[in-house]
Amino acid sequence: MYFACLKYASGSHGGVPKTKLAKLLYLADFTNFYKELEPMSGVKYRRMEYGPVADVFFSLTEALHEGGKLILRQRTQLLLYRQPPVR
């Protein structure tokens, strides 16, 4: 779900702000909850200044960045999806 939202939001420029990604994940999760009475992710959300955020969002983002799956531009907080090399 994380990568699907990241890829969807990135568009042609390949990046998305962290806040936008967190909101898209929340909306996708609760759209499914509204339709199916069950969230997609099953994670808990916490109240933040700019809206609800999944408890695991920041730790997951950091782990993906450290693992080389994401590029995080610190100044702009822009997340870039790193495509795996084509073989």
Side-chain angles (χ1 to χ4, degrees):
M1 188 168 116
Y2 187 98
F3 282 113
C5 285
L6 180 61
K7 204 170 179 182
Y8 171 79
S10 296
S12 60
H13 58 77
V16 63
K18 274 204 287 192
T19 305
K20 183 176 182 177
L21 180 60
K23 288 181 187 226
L24 284 172
L25 289 166
Y26 171 79
L27 291 172
D29 211 11
F30 280 91
T31 297
N32 194 72
F33 181 80
Y34 180 76
K35 291 178 180 178
E36 306 293 329
L37 297 178
E38 190 173 318
M40 263 193 284
S41 67
V43 299
K44 293 185 179 195
Y45 286 83
R46 60 180 168 180
R47 193 171 115 205
M48 302 284 286
E49 184 179 356
Y50 296 107
V53 176
D55 278 344
V56 297
F57 178 76
F58 296 106
S59 59
L60 177 61
T61 301
E62 187 62 33
L64 290 170
H65 172 63
E66 288 175 2
K69 304 262 187 223
L70 289 179
I71 300 168
L72 174 61
R73 295 206 175 133
Q74 294 295 334
R75 192 166 82 60
T76 60
Q77 293 296 299
L78 190 69
L79 294 169
L80 302 169
Y81 176 62
R82 182 173 285 183
Q83 296 282 350
V86 178
R87 293 180 185 181

